[in-house]
Amino acid sequence: MHFEPAQRVKSLPPYLFAEIEKLINEKKAQGVDLVSLSIGDPDLPPPQFVIESFRKEVADLKNHNYSFSQGEPEFRQAVSEWYKKRFHVDLEQNQVIALLGSKEGLANVGRAFVNPSDRVLVPDPAYPVYANGTAILNEGVPVPMPLREDNGFKPDFSTLDESKAKMMFLNYPNNPTGATVDMDFLKEAVDFALDNNIILCYDNAYSEISFDGYIPPSILEVDGAMDVVVEFHSCSKTFNMTGDRIAFAVGNKQIISGLTKIKSQIDSGPPVYVQRVASQALQSYASNEPPEFLKKNNKIYAERRDILVDSLRSMGFECAKPRATFYVWANCKCGSMKFATKLLEVGVAVTPGVGFGVYGEGYVRFSLTQPKERILEACNRIRRTTK
Ligand SMILES: Cc1ncc(COP(=O)(O)O)c(C=O)c1O
């Protein structure tokens, strides 16, 4: 028997990380002690109060029924209060939706608004879900917006062809480049979306992972943003809860309502106990300053970042010290797949930049998701390849 996959599935590009993942698995099977700096999954645990809250909420038998497609009112209230404290942005209940991780929200917003052949402007390099999950799997056409180093890894709106574009993605603090942007850029982005009637999906998954006193903004702080923007946040990186699948989208009512319609036909809200725990996690903010737990977390990432960046620079590689995210984006001065394969030979796994798009070629991404001793070990191993 042969079951032909749907055309939209056949239209997905080849999975460029597959080759490197195969090599990583081979190394692991051979028992090689690999330092894995390739995946964006924190090694640090959720805060203790989150674990205790899970114990309590999961034991409460009232928390095991279906949740509303848009999420529990209490969770949406906690999100609105967090937005007010953190970004000074006011949100009504119908401007918030709970998500089973932001990934599904990013993809489902496409189902709600992208028609076949609609163009979706996606950064390149970028988190692959925007082009694949949102555009291609909804029969839209991803149109790359190059993020060039000489432009601070930001798209240049003056060179974009906005004709027939229905939707645009932006993500700062940025995965994979670690780039951040200022309010002037965010205003330019909102104006571009308003002028061209484009839904602006702003992925703010890394807003809470920042260093050196930098506090990333919300695009919803820009005047007029509520007319065109949906912003995505996640508890995955903020509270080290990647496996708990809890996130939220906020912003324009029509966009939130479209997303709710889609989700009501596909899934229910996240488990009630997870929403209750996430509400308490968000309530740990007293102001726009990160709570103690996050300050500690971010200090650990900053120390790892300094070790890695200083060491890479001493070996002659060019890379910026990111002010946010737990990624270091380094110019590897050759093909990224070739470089990643060479590092694997000495037991270091990194992500080749080309897997994030053609403009990622020539770079590799290091994740700071290993203890500093392991990062030091990785640096020693990389140094051996440069001699
Ligand atoms: C830029 C970006 N957005 C969204 C996500 C998805 O996060 P989650 O689905 O866990 O909320 C990730 C995960 O790595 C990411 O890097």
Side-chain angles (χ1 to χ4, degrees):
M1 270 215 282
H2 174 70
F3 299 114
E4 193 64 13
Q7 191 53 45
R8 69 181 83 83
V9 174
K10 289 200 279 185
S11 303
L12 287 170
Y15 182 58
L16 284 169
F17 297 130
E19 195 180 320
I20 201 84
E21 278 175 9
K22 187 166 157 263
L23 291 171
I24 290 174
N25 289 335
E26 275 170 25
K27 292 277 170 205
K28 282 187 184 156
Q30 289 160 14
V32 172
D33 163 41
L34 212 58
V35 185
S36 179
L37 304 179
S38 58
I39 52 165
D41 195 352
D43 60 315
L44 300 164
Q48 192 54 32
F49 77 88
V50 160
I51 301 297
E52 276 151 25
S53 163
F54 259 117
R55 280 206 185 95
K56 178 169 156 279
E57 299 300 343
V58 97
D60 187 336
L61 302 184
K62 291 196 302 294
N63 292 342
H64 292 271
N65 291 95
Y66 286 122
S67 174
F68 302 107
S69 299
Q70 200 168 346
E72 295 296 293
E74 284 163 41
F75 175 70
R76 286 185 281 139
Q77 180 64 27
V79 169
S80 318
E81 284 166 14
W82 181 73
Y83 251 80
K84 183 75 182 158
K85 274 188 272 189
R86 175 65 179 81
F87 302 113
H88 309 293
V89 168
D90 290 305
L91 292 172
E92 292 164 24
Q93 285 267 308
N94 57 3
Q95 293 175 315
V96 182
I97 183 171
L99 299 171
L100 288 145
S102 55
K103 190 179 195 177
E104 64 92 349
L106 293 163
N108 278 326
V109 75
R111 274 201 221 219
F113 292 98
V114 173
N115 279 317
S117 83
D118 276 349
R119 291 150 62 103
V120 179
L121 300 171
V122 293
D124 181 344
Y127 184 53
V129 173
Y130 316 140
N132 299 344
T134 315
I136 295 177
L137 286 181
N138 293 306
E139 292 163 46
V141 181
V143 178
M145 301 187 288
L147 304 188
R148 298 180 206 273
E149 185 159 5
D150 58 13
N151 195 37
F153 297 113
K154 292 176 296 189
D156 178 354
F157 296 117
S158 67
T159 61
L160 292 183
D161 174 10
E162 65 280 359
S163 57
K164 273 190 84 191
K166 182 75 182 270
M167 188 175 270
M168 171 169 74
F169 280 87
L170 289 175
N171 159 230
Y172 295 97
N174 184 257
N175 173 17
T177 66
T180 52
V181 288
D182 57 19
M183 290 310 287
D184 287 344
F185 171 82
L186 295 181
K187 180 164 175 7
E188 208 190 322
V190 168
D191 288 345
F192 177 81
L194 283 168
D195 291 347
N196 297 293
N197 196 28
I198 293 174
I199 294 173
L200 201 175
C201 301
Y202 194 78
D203 183 355
N204 215 341
Y206 294 91
S207 67
E208 307 312 293
I209 311 297
S210 67
F211 324 111
D212 311 329
Y214 172 62
I215 301 188
S218 157
I219 196 168
L220 291 171
E221 291 172 46
V222 173
D223 280 345
M226 208 58 95
D227 292 337
V228 271
V229 168
V230 58
E231 180 166 275
F232 294 84
H233 278 271
S234 173
C235 294
S236 288
K237 325 284 169 161
T238 305
F239 301 111
N240 299 332
M241 292 169 67
T242 51
D244 298 314
R245 310 314 295 139
I246 179 82
F248 44 97
V250 305
N252 179 273
K253 280 180 202 163
Q254 279 179 61
I255 309 176
I256 297 296
S257 154
L259 196 47
T260 309
K261 271 194 195 132
I262 292 294
K263 284 177 60 61
S264 66
Q265 299 299 330
I266 293 177
D267 57 38
S268 299
V272 175
Y273 56 87
V274 177
Q275 292 187 59
R276 289 184 63 83
V277 172
S279 302
Q280 287 157 36
L282 292 171
Q283 283 156 359
S284 68
Y285 277 70
S287 66
N288 74 330
E289 288 273 321
E292 269 325 296
F293 154 78
L294 258 162
K295 281 192 185 147
K296 258 168 75 188
N297 221 37
N298 287 344
K299 219 170 129 204
I300 295 172
Y301 287 134
E303 191 185 9
R304 296 173 179 180
R305 172 201 64 175
D306 291 345
I307 291 171
L308 180 67
V309 171
D310 293 347
S311 178
L312 288 173
R313 285 179 178 167
S314 76
M315 292 179 229
F317 293 104
E318 283 164 27
C319 53
K321 255 188 196 179
R323 290 198 292 176
T325 77
F326 45 60
Y327 302 115
V328 169
W329 186 240
N331 186 325
C332 58
K333 299 183 286 187
C334 66
S336 59
M337 202 65 90
K338 184 169 157 220
F339 186 73
T341 308
K342 188 162 115 183
L343 294 197
L344 259 190
E345 287 309 314
V346 292
V348 179
V350 298
T351 311
V354 69
F356 297 102
V358 290
Y359 291 89
E361 184 52 304
Y363 295 87
V364 288
R365 190 194 73 177
F366 293 81
S367 288
L368 299 166
T369 49
Q370 290 283 321
K372 68 176 180 188
E373 295 73 25
R374 295 294 283 166
I375 291 185
L376 273 168
E377 172 62 22
C379 293
N380 291 337
R381 294 181 187 184
I382 297 168
R383 194 175 295 278
R384 288 210 299 272
T385 68
T386 61
K387 288 193 175 137

